[in-house]
């Protein structure tokens, strides 16, 4: 099953190759009908197909043995010997070479298996049935003798019939070994059937007898002479046909008359054809498949070689034409160069036009347009002036009010302050711990209402802003209208495209003049590229038109066509670009038109100025401020008085401590003073008592009384004297007065300082100023919500949006101008003649490339045929 599938696949590829040869293009490229060699290869391919078909259809149990050789080489005699044929059944021997029939000899039972093999063919085929056990599974294919056989017959024999053989027997006669008639047959066999096993049978072994008077036998057989004969035959074959590789074992020498060594041939055939040996069957099939495959590959390669040769020839002619083309290339160029002389001037003119337009378009971009009318510099400046005017205006009324406010505060705290002065002036210094007055006792309950009216001031300043707004909007409107009108005019007139195109037209006139002198040169150039033998070869290919038909003379229509193409090279897409550019500017104008229409609807003078009510705002601020000021001053008073009381208390404590130290020091001195008097009196009394005692011995009692009296009376007298001379009370009083004076002076200084700081502190003044600044700012902000202000802002936003959109369109317009200028300027880029060379090349290509295109098409067709053949894989 696998064998049948493999051979059928091979058959399909052969049929595919045959099918390709029937295609008109392939048939034409391979020249199957016009070239003898191609016809021969095609016939060989058909014969391979026929043989392969026969092989597929033959019965696999039959083994085909082919008999080949020169006529009278002993083929028929050997068949008779092998089959024991004699009499009428014997094969006729020594037939003339003109007998071209093939005999298929087999057992009658095999008729159904080989009848199909003889259904067609140019060589007559005769079936011969012999009832011999040897032929039960064997078919002898007896071919005509080589002789002077027609080579076509040999080719058909090799390719149509013998390929079905599993073993070939090539017969040589010992009397006429390997003559010139054998060589064509052997060469054809090796080229076509090299894969089929071959045995060389040398008949008439009696030529190697030792004794010619005796019959051939093993004992009468000259083995050395026979081996020499084989060696010479082998060397001759290998010398003439170097592809053949044979050994001595491939030779069998026999004699049919005496049946000498016929049994050896029988054994070879038996061994080879044994169907019980699976290896034999596989080998025989592999030989056939390889044979047919290799033969198919050979034909395919011949076709490929033929197509490749054509491609090489065609490429060589094309290379020759290209070489001629390159040889003439530098000799045929556009001269005169009127265009290149002016390129740089044209570029300079384009750059100047572009720069001027860009500069003109850039002016409106310098316009300082704020995001809001309120952030416009002139409005900011006016608001700064209002603030300055307000700072001047507010000074007197706020200062006056603040003085009244402070006086009111001090009037309310006067009594508490006097009470505080009275307390530290009359305090008990020795028992002082803290002042009885507390911070909560200080409370400002009423302050004067703020009565300031600057309504006229506010309205005057706001009126100035409104006038300024109208002036600003009018200025904006005038400037935007002017800018928009200028841009509208540019877009309407497609500036600066028309100016650029005038320069381009000048360049085109110069190029046309250069081209007029170039066509004569190109015509001569075209005639020299393709040689006559190239044209003849291409016409003989039989594929497509003749090359000469593509080489018409230049006509005016052709020249105009070339000029237009040259214009496209130097000025590519110029017309289309101009249309595109103009369309782009028209589209920008369509975007721009609504902006101009919108400006016509804006009226600056249609709205009256607003009057602002400031009274309610001032009153509201005054009422709120009264409460805020009361709370602020009370908080400040509480903090300040509290810190002042603490400072006074600390000062009193300091004086008190100093006063107590003085009292202790005075008491100490007083104690010392009285002690001295007592000591002095004692020092007087004691000596007196001793003296009295010593002098009054007779009167002890009197002495004792006198002594006691002296000791008692004298200290009293001393104390009285000390008391009378004591200054301590005066000193105590003096220190006390000093302390009270110190307390009164220092505390009053502290209190006065605090009162000054309270008066000098301007926190409340700052609050007043802040509140009224906020009121002013509120009024300045409130103007934004007034009808005129809203209308002004709306108008400003419309103008701003119009201006910004116009800037966007202007920016797009500038980009277009730069792009257009770049593109047009690029037409005149100085490239050392590259563009002109390109034009010349285009003209020459226009004159010659169709011929090269024609050659390329031929090459493509041949390559396509070659690829189609090459795609058939026989492996």
């Amino acid at each position: 099953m696998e064998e049948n599938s493999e051979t059928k696949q091979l058959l399909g590829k052969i049929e595919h190759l045959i099918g390709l040869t029937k295609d008109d293009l392939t048939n034409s490229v391979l020249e199957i009908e016009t070239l003898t060699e191609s016809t021969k290869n095609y016939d060989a391919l058909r014969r391979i197909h026929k043989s392969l078909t026969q092989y597929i259809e033959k019965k696999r149990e039959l083994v085909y043995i082919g008999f080949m050789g020169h006529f009278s080489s002993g083929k028929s005699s050997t068949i008779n010997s092998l089959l024991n044929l004699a009499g009428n059944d014997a094969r006729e021997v020594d037939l003339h070479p003109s007998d071209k029939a093939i005999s298929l000899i087999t057992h009658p039972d095999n008729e159904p298996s080989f009848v199909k093999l003889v259904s067609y063919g140019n060589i007559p085929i005769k079936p011969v049935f012999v009832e011999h056990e040897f032929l039960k599974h064997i078919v002898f294919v007896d071919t005509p003798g080589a002789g002077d056989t027609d080579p076509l017959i040999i080719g058909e024999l090799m390719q149509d019939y013998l390929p079905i053989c599993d073993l070939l027997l090539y017969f040589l006669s010992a009397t006429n070994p390997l003559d010139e008639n054998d060589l064509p047959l052997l060469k054809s066999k090796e080229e076509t059937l090299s894969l089929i096993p071959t045995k060389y049978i040398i008949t008439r072994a009696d030529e190697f007898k030792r004794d010619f008077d005796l019959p051939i036998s093993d004992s009468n057989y000259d083995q050395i002479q026979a081996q020499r004969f084989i060696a010479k035959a082998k060397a001759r074959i290998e010398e003439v046909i170097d592809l053949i590789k044979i050994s001595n074992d491939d030779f069998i020498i026999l004699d049919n008359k005496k049946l000498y060594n016929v049994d050896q041939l029988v054994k070879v055939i038996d061994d080879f054809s044994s169907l019980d040996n699976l290896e034999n069957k596989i080998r025989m099939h592999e030989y056939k498949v390889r044979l047919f495959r290799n033969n198919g590959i050979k034909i395919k390669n011949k076709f490929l070689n033929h197509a490749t040769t054509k491609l090489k020839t065609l490429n060589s002619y094309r290379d020759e034409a290209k070489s001629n083309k390159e040889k003439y290339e530098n000799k045929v160029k556009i001269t005169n160069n009127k265009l290149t002389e002016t390129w740089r001037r044209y570029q300079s003119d384009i750059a100047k036009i572009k720069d001027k337009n860009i500069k003109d378009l850039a002016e409106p971009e310098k316009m300082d347009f704020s995001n809001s009318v309120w952030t416009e510099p002139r409005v900011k400046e006016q608001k700064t002036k209002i603030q300055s005017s307000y700072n001047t205006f507010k000074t007197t009324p706020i200062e006056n009010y603040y003085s009244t406010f402070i006086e009111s505060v001090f009037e309310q705290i006067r009594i508490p302050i006097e009470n505080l002065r009275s307390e530290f002036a009359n305090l008990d210094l020795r028992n002082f711990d803290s002042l009885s007055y507390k911070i909560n006792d200080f409370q400002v309950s009423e302050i004067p209402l703020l009565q300031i009216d600057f309504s006229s001031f506010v309205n005057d300043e706001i009126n100035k802003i409104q006038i300024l707004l109208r002036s600003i909007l009018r200025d904006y409107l005038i400037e935007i209208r002017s800018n928009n009108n200028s841009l509208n005019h540019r877009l309407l007139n497609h500036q600066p495209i028309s100016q650029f195109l005038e320069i381009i037209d000048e360049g085109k006139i110069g190029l046309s003049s250069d081209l007029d002198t170039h066509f004569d040169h190109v015509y001569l150039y075209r005639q020299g590229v393709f040689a006559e033998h190239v044209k003849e070869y291409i016409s003989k290919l039989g594929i497509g038109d003749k090359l000469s038909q593509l080489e018409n003379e230049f006509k005016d229509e052709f020249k105009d066509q070339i000029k237009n193409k040259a214009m496209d090279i130097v000025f590519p897409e110029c017309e289309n670009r101009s249309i595109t550019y103009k369309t782009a500017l028209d589209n920008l104008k369509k975007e721009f038109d609504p902006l101009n229409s919108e400006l016509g609807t804006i009226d600056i003078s249609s709205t009256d100025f607003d009057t602002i009510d400031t009274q309610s705002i001032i009153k509201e601020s005054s009422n709120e401020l009264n409460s805020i000021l009361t709370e602020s001053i009370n908080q400040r008073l509480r903090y300040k008085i509290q810190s002042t009381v603490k400072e006074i208390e600390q000062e009193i404590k300091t004086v008190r401590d100093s006063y107590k130290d003085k009292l202790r020091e005075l008491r100490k001195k007083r104690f010392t003073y009285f002690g001295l008097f007592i000591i002095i009196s004692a020092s007087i009394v004691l000596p007196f008592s001793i003296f009295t005692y010593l002098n009054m011995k007779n009167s002890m009692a009197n002495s004792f009384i006198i002594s006691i009296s002296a000791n008692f009376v004298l200290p009293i007298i001393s104390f009285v004297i000390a008391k009378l001379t004591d200054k301590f009370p005066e000193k105590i009083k003096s220190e006390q007065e000093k302390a009270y004076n110190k307390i009164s002076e220092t505390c009053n200084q502290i209190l006065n300082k605090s009162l000054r700081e309270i008066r000098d502190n301007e926190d409340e003044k700052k609050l007043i100023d802040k509140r009224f600044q906020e009121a002013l700012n509120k009024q300045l902000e409130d103007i934004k919500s007034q009808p005129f202000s809203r209308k002004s802002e709306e108008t400003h936003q419309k103008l701003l949006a119009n201006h910004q959109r116009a800037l966007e369109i202007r920016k797009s317009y500038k980009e277009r101008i730069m792009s257009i200028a770049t593109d047009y300027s690029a037409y005149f880029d100085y490239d050392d003649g590259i563009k002109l060379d390109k034009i010349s090349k285009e003209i020459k290509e226009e004159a010659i490339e169709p011929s090269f295109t024609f050659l390329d098409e031929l090459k493509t067709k041949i390559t396509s045929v070659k690829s189609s053949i090459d795609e058939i894989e026989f492996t």
Side-chain angles (χ1 to χ4, degrees):
M1 192 68 177
E2 292 179 358
E3 294 177 0
N4 191 43
S5 174
E6 183 180 13
T7 51
K8 283 185 177 180
Q9 287 180 6
L10 185 58
L11 179 64
K13 292 174 181 178
I14 296 293
E15 290 174 345
H16 185 192
L17 185 56
I18 292 175
L20 286 177
T21 61
K22 294 179 180 179
D23 176 72
D24 291 340
L25 177 61
T26 306
N27 190 290
S28 178
V29 170
L30 298 179
E31 300 178 275
I32 290 176
E33 296 178 358
T34 58
L35 188 66
T36 302
E37 180 67 21
S38 293
T39 303
K40 179 181 176 182
N41 291 331
Y42 173 71
D43 292 340
L45 180 64
R46 290 180 64 252
R47 286 195 294 271
I48 291 172
H49 176 263
K50 178 179 178 181
S51 297
L52 182 57
T53 303
Q54 291 174 342
Y55 176 70
I56 292 174
E57 292 177 349
K58 82 169 188 173
K59 196 171 182 180
R60 295 299 174 86
E61 286 74 10
L62 294 179
V63 177
Y64 287 69
I65 309 295
F67 289 74
M68 300 175 59
H70 193 280
F71 68 90
S72 299
S73 59
K75 298 191 302 296
S76 298
S77 297
T78 303
I79 292 173
N80 291 335
S81 298
L82 290 172
L83 301 178
N84 299 320
L85 297 178
N88 294 333
D89 295 330
R91 296 285 294 163
E92 189 175 356
V93 298
D94 295 331
L95 292 176
H96 192 272
S98 61
D99 184 2
K100 301 177 181 179
I102 294 178
S103 297
L104 299 179
I105 306 169
T106 189
H107 197 277
D109 293 343
N110 295 331
E111 180 180 1
S113 300
F114 78 92
V115 169
K116 297 176 183 178
L117 302 178
V118 298
S119 60
Y120 57 85
N122 294 319
I123 301 177
I125 298 178
K126 298 184 298 185
V128 178
F129 300 107
V130 178
E131 290 190 5
H132 192 287
E133 190 67 23
F134 195 51
L135 298 177
K136 278 286 187 179
H137 63 279
I138 291 177
V139 176
F140 288 164
V141 181
D142 188 12
T143 63
D148 297 324
T149 302
D150 187 345
L152 294 177
I153 297 299
I154 293 178
E156 184 174 346
L157 190 67
M158 296 298 175
Q159 297 187 38
D160 292 347
Y161 302 103
L162 291 180
I164 66 172
C165 295
D166 301 296
L167 175 66
L168 293 177
L169 302 178
Y170 194 92
F171 286 82
L172 302 171
S173 173
T175 61
N176 189 22
L178 203 63
D179 64 12
E180 293 298 324
N181 293 323
D182 285 306
L183 297 181
L185 192 61
L186 280 172
K187 286 182 180 180
S188 181
K189 181 199 79 71
E190 188 60 26
E191 290 175 358
T192 309
L193 308 173
S194 60
L195 296 178
I196 299 179
T198 303
K199 295 292 183 181
Y200 296 89
I201 310 302
I202 301 174
T203 59
R204 299 186 180 181
D206 56 357
E207 292 292 325
F208 303 108
K209 292 189 295 183
R210 296 177 183 275
D211 187 349
F212 283 91
D213 294 331
L214 298 174
I216 185 70
S217 64
D218 288 340
S219 60
N220 192 30
Y221 179 71
D222 191 340
Q223 183 72 29
I224 295 175
Q225 184 183 359
Q227 289 300 316
R228 287 176 180 172
F229 180 88
I230 290 173
K232 288 181 181 180
K234 175 176 174 292
R236 173 69 172 153
I237 293 172
E238 291 180 343
E239 177 185 357
V240 176
I241 309 171
D242 57 1
L243 295 177
I244 294 181
K245 301 299 179 185
I246 53 180
S247 67
N248 292 345
D249 293 337
D250 292 327
F251 290 86
I252 299 174
I253 299 177
L254 57 80
D255 185 83
N256 289 307
K257 291 181 180 180
K258 297 299 181 179
L259 298 180
Y260 179 73
N261 272 352
V262 172
D263 57 340
Q264 183 181 352
L265 178 58
V266 170
K267 184 177 186 307
V268 168
I269 294 174
D270 276 342
D271 291 343
F272 189 86
S273 60
S274 174
L275 297 178
D276 295 333
N277 189 334
L278 179 61
E279 184 177 346
N280 272 353
K281 293 177 69 176
I282 294 174
R283 183 190 68 247
M284 287 187 288
H285 174 67
E286 286 179 349
Y287 283 157
K288 295 298 172 297
V289 173
R290 290 171 62 190
L291 171 68
F292 290 123
R293 179 183 293 117
N294 288 348
N295 287 339
I297 290 173
K298 288 178 182 178
I299 300 300
K300 169 190 168 182
N301 288 338
K302 288 180 179 180
F303 286 157
L304 287 176
N305 291 337
H306 185 75
T308 300
T309 300
K310 277 197 169 186
L311 281 176
K312 288 181 178 179
T313 304
L314 188 63
N315 284 334
S316 68
Y317 286 152
R318 190 181 189 282
D319 291 341
E320 179 182 347
K322 284 188 70 175
S323 176
N324 290 337
K325 179 182 175 184
E326 292 171 0
K327 182 170 63 177
Y328 292 120
E329 189 75 31
N330 294 327
K331 297 180 181 180
V332 184
K333 290 188 176 182
I334 299 177
T335 57
N336 197 14
N337 293 334
K338 291 180 181 179
L339 180 62
T340 54
E341 292 172 1
T342 55
W343 273 357
R344 288 175 178 169
R345 178 172 62 81
Y346 290 153
Q347 281 191 326
S348 177
D349 292 343
I350 290 174
K352 289 177 182 178
I353 294 171
K354 178 199 71 174
D355 292 342
K356 183 179 184 307
N357 280 270
I358 295 299
K359 180 179 178 182
D360 293 343
L361 288 170
E363 288 301 320
E365 296 177 1
K366 300 176 183 178
M367 183 177 177
D368 187 10
F369 210 128
S370 302
N371 292 330
S372 170
V373 71
W374 301 104
T375 59
E376 211 280 343
R378 284 175 285 177
V379 175
K380 288 182 176 180
E381 182 181 355
Q382 185 60 35
K383 290 174 73 174
T384 301
K385 290 179 180 179
I386 292 175
Q387 183 63 57
S388 178
S389 298
Y390 169 75
N391 291 337
T392 302
F393 169 81
K394 71 181 180 179
T395 302
T396 300
I398 289 180
E399 287 289 347
N400 292 338
Y401 171 75
Y402 186 69
S403 297
T404 304
F405 167 75
I406 288 296
E407 290 302 325
S408 174
V409 170
F410 272 81
E411 181 62 27
Q412 294 182 59
I413 65 172
R414 183 180 59 80
I415 295 175
I417 292 299
E418 290 303 321
N419 291 336
L420 180 60
R421 290 181 192 275
S422 176
E423 182 178 355
F424 64 68
N426 297 297
L427 57 81
D428 182 0
L429 189 60
R430 289 172 296 180
N431 298 317
F432 177 80
D433 183 51
S434 64
L435 296 173
S436 62
Y437 187 83
K438 302 302 179 187
I439 188 61
N440 292 333
D441 294 335
F442 290 94
Q443 181 68 41
V444 177
S445 58
E446 294 182 2
I447 61 173
L449 290 176
L450 180 61
Q451 298 293 335
I452 300 177
D453 183 8
F454 50 94
S455 299
S456 59
F457 165 79
V458 171
N459 276 302
D460 287 345
E461 298 300 330
I462 288 176
N463 189 52
K464 293 177 183 177
I465 291 178
Q466 293 180 139
I467 293 172
L468 178 60
L469 291 180
R470 179 170 290 174
S471 174
I472 290 171
L473 294 177
R474 185 180 294 109
D475 291 345
Y476 279 165
L477 180 59
I478 292 172
E479 188 170 358
I480 290 173
R481 277 178 177 166
S482 175
N483 293 335
N484 286 6
N485 288 336
S486 172
L487 181 58
N488 186 68
H489 176 76
R490 290 174 179 276
L491 293 173
L492 183 63
N493 292 281
H494 300 138
Q495 291 184 359
I497 295 176
S498 57
Q499 296 167 287
F500 290 156
L501 289 178
E502 290 177 2
I503 298 174
I504 298 295
D505 288 339
E506 290 183 31
K508 288 183 177 180
I509 293 171
L511 176 60
S512 179
S513 176
D514 286 343
L515 290 173
D516 285 334
T517 60
H518 188 59
F519 287 107
D520 292 339
H521 300 160
V522 175
Y523 179 74
L524 295 175
Y525 156 80
R526 183 173 65 177
Q527 297 302 313
V529 171
F530 290 95
E532 286 301 321
H533 67 278
V534 178
K535 300 174 185 176
E536 290 178 11
Y537 173 76
I538 292 173
S539 64
K540 289 180 181 178
L541 285 178
I543 305 176
D545 298 329
K546 293 182 179 179
L547 184 63
S548 59
Q549 294 177 2
L550 298 173
E551 296 184 356
N552 300 319
E553 293 185 4
F554 291 131
K555 297 179 180 179
D556 290 339
E557 181 182 356
F558 176 75
K559 290 180 180 180
D560 290 339
Q561 180 183 357
I562 292 297
K563 280 188 176 183
N564 291 333
K565 195 157 195 174
M567 296 299 175
D568 289 340
I569 292 174
V570 178
F571 307 103
E573 297 293 325
C574 184
E575 297 299 328
N576 291 337
R577 281 180 177 176
S578 299
I579 294 172
T580 302
Y581 296 151
K582 290 179 180 179
T583 302
L585 297 189
D586 288 339
N587 290 335
L588 284 178
K589 188 176 183 307
K590 289 179 182 178
E591 291 183 50
F592 189 63
D593 286 343
L595 300 182
N596 276 339
S597 300
E598 183 183 66
L599 286 181
T601 64
I602 298 177
D603 185 6
I604 303 299
S605 61
S606 61
T607 306
D608 295 331
F609 289 160
D610 300 318
T611 301
I612 308 301
D613 177 20
T614 61
Q615 283 298 108
S616 59
I617 296 175
I618 297 298
K619 184 177 181 181
E620 179 183 352
S621 294
S622 298
N623 293 335
E624 291 179 0
L625 184 59
N626 192 274
S627 174
I628 292 172
L629 290 176
T630 301
E631 178 62 26
S632 174
I633 193 63
N634 281 324
Q635 286 183 357
R636 192 153 62 85
L637 284 174
R638 290 190 193 99
Y639 172 78
K640 193 61 184 176
I641 298 301
Q642 184 180 36
S643 62
T644 301
V645 168
K646 288 183 178 180
E647 188 177 358
I648 290 173
E649 288 178 340
Q650 184 62 42
E651 182 60 29
I652 293 173
K653 289 179 180 179
T654 300
V655 175
R656 180 200 62 188
D657 293 341
S658 176
Y659 171 70
K660 287 183 177 180
D661 289 341
K662 287 289 184 181
L663 287 181
R664 281 194 294 271
E665 184 180 351
L666 289 173
R667 287 192 183 97
K668 184 178 180 181
K669 287 181 179 180
R670 188 180 189 188
F671 179 79
T672 303
Y673 181 77
F674 276 89
L676 286 174
F677 269 93
I678 295 171
I679 291 172
I680 291 171
S681 62
S683 62
I684 295 174
V685 170
L686 182 59
F688 175 75
S689 298
I690 294 172
F691 179 76
T692 302
Y693 178 73
L694 292 176
N695 292 317
M696 299 179 98
K697 293 182 178 181
N698 297 321
S699 184
M700 289 297 292
N702 290 335
S703 298
F704 179 74
I705 293 170
I706 292 170
S707 176
I708 290 302
S709 297
N711 288 324
F712 178 74
V713 172
L714 189 59
I716 293 174
I717 295 172
S718 298
F719 177 79
V720 172
I721 294 171
K723 184 69 175 174
L724 292 174
T725 59
D726 183 15
K727 301 296 182 179
F728 178 74
E730 289 82 0
K731 289 181 180 180
I732 292 296
K733 185 176 182 181
S734 175
E735 290 297 328
Q736 188 177 38
E737 287 177 357
K738 288 179 181 179
Y740 280 114
N741 289 336
K742 177 70 174 177
I743 289 173
S744 179
E745 179 182 358
T746 304
C747 289
N748 278 308
Q749 288 177 352
I750 293 171
L751 186 58
N752 290 335
K753 178 184 175 184
S754 296
L755 291 174
R756 282 196 305 273
E757 290 176 354
I758 292 172
R759 183 182 292 274
D760 294 340
N761 187 292
E762 295 189 345
D763 287 350
E764 285 70 32
K765 183 188 287 187
K766 292 176 182 178
L767 278 175
I768 296 168
D769 184 63
K770 179 182 177 183
R771 291 295 293 180
F772 280 88
Q773 182 66 57
E774 290 174 352
L776 177 64
N777 291 339
K778 186 174 186 302
Q779 290 183 325
L780 293 177
E781 287 297 318
D782 284 348
I783 190 177
K784 297 180 182 180
S785 63
Q786 300 303 315
F788 178 83
S789 301
R790 291 198 303 272
K791 179 65 176 177
S792 297
E793 181 62 22
E794 290 173 4
T795 302
H796 179 274
Q797 291 302 320
K798 287 182 181 179
L799 292 174
L800 175 61
N802 191 290
H803 174 65
Q804 289 177 338
R805 185 69 187 111
L807 287 181
E808 292 176 4
I809 295 175
R810 192 176 294 271
K811 180 181 177 182
S812 298
Y813 181 42
K814 284 172 58 179
E815 291 173 352
R816 291 288 182 185
I817 291 176
M818 295 177 70
S819 175
I820 293 169
T822 299
D823 290 343
Y824 283 150
S825 181
Y827 291 145
F828 303 106
D829 283 342
Y830 184 73
D831 55 4
D832 198 21
I834 292 176
K835 280 188 177 180
L836 294 180
D837 288 344
K838 184 178 180 182
I839 296 170
S840 179
K841 181 180 178 182
E842 284 288 325
I843 295 173
K844 289 179 281 187
E845 286 181 352
E846 196 62 37
I848 293 176
E849 280 308 309
S851 299
F852 278 99
T853 301
F854 174 73
L855 293 181
D856 290 338
E857 290 174 355
L858 288 180
K859 179 180 178 181
T860 300
K861 290 178 180 179
I862 297 173
T863 302
S864 174
V865 170
K866 181 175 177 292
S867 298
S868 298
I869 296 172
D870 200 28
E871 287 174 359
I872 301 175
E873 294 290 343
F874 286 98
T875 55

